[in-house]
Amino acid sequence: MNTLLQQDLNDFENILDKAKQQGIDFLNRLENIPTSNKNSIDPTRGLNELGLGSIEALKEFNERLAPLMVASAGPRYWGFVTGGSTPASIVGDWLASVYDQNTQAIKAQGGVSALIEFETIHLLLQLLQLPDSFLGGFVTGATMSNFTCLGVARQWFGKQFGKDFAKNGISEPINILTATPHSSSIKSLAMLGIGSNNFTTIKTIEGNREAIDVVDLENNIKSLDGKPFILISSAGTVNTADFDDFNAISKLKEKYNFWWHIDAAFGGFAAVSDKFNHFVDGWQGADSITIDCHKWLNVPYESAFYLINKQHASLQIETFQNSNAPYLGNPLENFNYLNVLPENSRRLRALPVWFSLLAYGKDGFKDIVENSVSMALHFGNELIEDGNFELMAPIRLNNVCFTLKGDHNQEKIAQFFTALNDRGKVFMTPTVYRNRKGIRASFVNWRTTENDIKIVIEEIKAVCLDLKI
Ligand SMILES: *Cc1c(COP(=O)(O)O)cnc(C)c1O
């Protein structure tokens, strides 16, 4: 064995202790670590001939790389839709590395850790009050989940013409209907060879809404003259957290032949609270659903899952099977993840979620969701009270989409949020909503409290003063 590897092996406990201490120091300071920074490195470092050993590498990490880290897991990182990491999720994440399983099969082929993934999906279905009719698995994020679901939808579409697109390529134009898709679904259409231009945009409901207009949807369906199609619908749009009407879509499903996909990356968690689960009423009728765990479930990146109705298991295997390992027999026996999703080798990605669900239960996540929504409402009220701002849409759930009052201030938006973000106390992201520039704040982090809202309002007032707004 190489001497440095040997030395590290002998010193393993001390090394892990140091890493643990480092983690504790960071997490204890999280609230005071800036949400943005201007530090930088020259990323062209040469590789040494002789290694440093873990302890020296950790020293260099602390000197050069640690200063690049921002408090994205902290309570005031409201840009994009950014979750944090709870104690239990970190335990699961650390142990996933320690055990380092290749999570594939549920029956002995070496390891059987995929059973843990099965169990975790089963727990998630209970949390979200979804039936057991879905087969689920973990991927890196909602983008890959959308890709996986739409990949199986593509195969389904071919089957309607008696064709196997996975084997022979796409030989029929694929009809996609959608109203307010997330950019990652459109990116998935590009990756799947369907083409990112090849979708029909359905109107949204009149008034300040991003949800699909079901009447316009049905008119578009009729103009397809009985041809099959794929519907990409939304449970939680990123600007205004709007939801399509899933009961109305379920009714259409009785009349027309289509694959129904729901992107519920963060909005799916509305299901955990009886205050908000009406938003997802009827979603169990979907063919596939995308949900992120590194957002509202507050586990570390990279964690998301897909749910695909079990009746499509054969299509899923046709889409993702390894050609040298053709599947024989019943698709649910000898189940192996490497034949149902994009990756082959995978870490035990379910473990952070498993730990979180056991540690905090249904109540824990209901509390996180309800707290996030009340923080969003509280922040929205404070903005209105301030007088300089207006909400661009009502606050339906956890996202606040706002802007500076008055058209003359539209040109100041970029300057405003850059100045605010540069101060490092809060991070928000810009948006364009109904042709106007605005700012989004998304609340999903388990740590956020009213005191954070107070801090941010003070910051906003200071920036307005600076910029003479
Ligand atoms: C965040 C998000 C995505 C993309 O998720 P990643 O985890 O970044 O891949 C897709 N859809 C919606 C609605 C999202 O909010």
Side-chain angles (χ1 to χ4, degrees):
M1 190 185 283
N2 168 282
T3 35
L4 281 159
L5 280 166
Q6 183 68 57
Q7 186 186 303
D8 267 12
L9 184 58
N10 298 343
D11 200 27
F12 223 153
E13 191 170 339
N14 175 39
I15 292 167
L16 291 184
D17 269 344
K18 286 218 156 60
K20 181 187 83 176
Q21 200 48 54
Q22 168 116 7
I24 292 171
D25 290 346
F26 179 78
L27 292 170
N28 282 344
R29 286 184 298 121
L30 192 55
E31 306 224 342
N32 300 317
I33 290 170
T35 47
S36 66
N37 73 43
K38 294 212 157 68
N39 298 330
S40 179
I41 54 163
D42 170 6
T44 60
R45 184 195 189 283
L47 176 64
N48 355 346
E49 210 58 56
L50 273 184
L52 304 173
S54 291
I55 297 290
E56 285 303 309
L58 185 60
K59 274 191 195 139
E60 180 167 334
F61 171 83
N62 280 330
E63 276 159 29
R64 295 181 57 240
L65 307 190
L68 302 177
M69 305 295 167
V70 295
S72 48
R76 279 171 269 105
Y77 199 92
W78 303 346
F80 313 104
V81 183
T82 308
S85 38
T86 57
S89 74
I90 293 176
V91 173
D93 203 67
W94 280 4
L95 291 182
S97 292
V98 169
Y99 285 92
D100 192 24
Q101 304 290 295
N102 188 355
T103 307
Q104 295 176 338
I106 58 162
K107 284 198 181 152
Q109 286 188 358
V112 293
S113 58
L115 282 170
I116 298 171
E117 189 158 338
F118 260 50
E119 178 165 305
T120 309
I121 294 290
H122 185 61
L123 295 169
L124 282 165
L125 289 172
Q126 293 169 67
L127 178 75
L128 300 169
Q129 301 188 37
L130 281 167
D132 263 339
S133 48
F134 290 99
L135 203 56
F138 278 83
V139 287
T140 50
T143 303
M144 281 315 289
S145 178
N146 282 332
F147 173 85
T148 305
C149 294
L150 293 173
V152 184
R154 182 186 69 175
Q155 185 68 359
W156 170 87
F157 190 91
K159 275 294 146 82
Q160 308 312 301
F161 296 88
K163 303 204 164 153
D164 185 339
F165 287 177
K167 276 218 169 75
N168 303 314
I170 299 171
S171 54
E172 294 286 336
I174 302 183
N175 306 309
I176 312 265
L177 306 184
T178 184
T180 316
H182 187 267
S183 57
S184 64
S185 282
I186 304 309
K187 173 173 167 173
S188 297
L189 297 183
M191 293 193 285
L192 287 163
I194 296 171
S196 57
N197 276 336
N198 293 331
F199 64 91
T200 302
T201 307
I202 308 298
K203 285 188 192 141
T204 52
I205 298 173
E206 288 273 326
N208 198 344
R209 296 291 304 273
E210 291 187 296
I212 199 162
D213 178 336
V214 177
V215 175
D216 190 48
L217 173 60
E218 186 156 12
N219 288 338
N220 273 276
I221 296 174
K222 283 182 181 148
S223 69
L224 288 173
D225 263 344
K227 287 200 206 86
F229 66 97
I230 296 167
L231 174 68
I232 303 175
S233 65
S234 295
T237 54
V238 285
N239 270 334
T240 69
D242 209 345
F243 290 73
D244 293 341
D245 180 343
F246 301 138
N247 284 319
I249 294 173
S250 302
K251 290 227 176 72
L252 293 176
K253 193 99 163 106
E254 290 166 12
K255 291 193 346 203
Y256 304 102
N257 182 29
F258 63 99
W259 180 286
W260 175 19
H261 174 63
I262 303 178
D263 182 346
F266 67 91
F269 287 94
V272 309
S273 160
D274 49 19
K275 289 187 186 157
F276 310 115
N277 60 11
H278 60 95
F279 284 124
V280 290
D281 216 26
W283 70 330
Q284 67 278 0
D287 294 287
S288 58
I289 304 178
T290 281
I291 301 183
D292 248 329
C293 296
H294 53 219
K295 289 177 179 165
W296 230 341
L297 203 80
N298 281 269
V299 306
Y301 292 114
E302 309 161 333
S303 184
F305 61 104
Y306 61 80
L307 296 172
I308 299 177
N309 193 302
K310 279 181 188 162
Q311 75 186 69
H312 302 308
S314 302
L315 293 170
Q316 194 172 350
I317 289 167
E318 285 168 21
T319 310
F320 292 109
Q321 74 184 345
N322 289 267
S323 56
N324 59 348
Y327 170 76
L328 300 167
N330 178 339
L332 301 180
E333 271 171 31
N334 296 319
F335 180 89
N336 194 325
Y337 273 110
L338 63 76
N339 289 324
V340 298
L341 45 64
E343 299 112 329
N344 283 352
S345 305
R346 317 157 60 231
R347 79 199 310 259
L348 188 35
R349 192 171 283 134
L351 208 53
V353 176
W354 186 92
F355 266 93
S356 305
L357 294 175
L358 263 71
Y360 309 122
K362 284 188 183 174
D363 250 24
F365 290 98
K366 173 174 158 285
D367 286 347
I368 291 177
V369 165
E370 291 182 356
N371 179 62
S372 298
V373 177
S374 79
M375 290 303 111
L377 290 170
H378 184 41
F379 180 57
N381 285 336
E382 293 287 317
L383 282 174
I384 291 168
E385 220 157 88
D386 177 274
N388 274 322
F389 301 93
E390 62 182 285
L391 300 184
M392 302 180 92
I395 299 171
R396 284 187 195 90
L397 199 65
N398 59 324
N399 287 357
V400 182
C401 189
F402 66 102
T403 193
L404 287 167
K405 253 189 200 162
D407 284 342
H408 62 288
N409 274 327
Q410 278 284 296
E411 69 218 44
K412 287 199 178 156
I413 295 286
Q415 205 188 355
F416 171 80
F417 82 76
T418 308
L420 184 66
N421 285 347
D422 281 354
R423 293 166 67 96
K425 286 271 170 46
V426 63
F427 184 82
M428 299 189 219
T429 35
T431 192
V432 174
Y433 179 63
R434 303 172 96 208
N435 296 320
R436 291 179 74 210
K437 288 182 202 158
I439 299 172
R440 286 176 59 253
S442 184
F443 293 82
V444 285
N445 189 291
W446 64 288
R447 292 173 179 264
T448 310
T449 66
E450 286 192 5
N451 193 45
D452 294 302
I453 311 284
K454 197 168 146 232
I455 293 171
V456 173
I457 291 292
E458 279 163 14
E459 288 291 295
I460 284 176
K461 284 190 192 304
V463 171
C464 285
L465 210 59
D466 274 359
L467 298 180
K468 303 197 169 55
I469 290 169

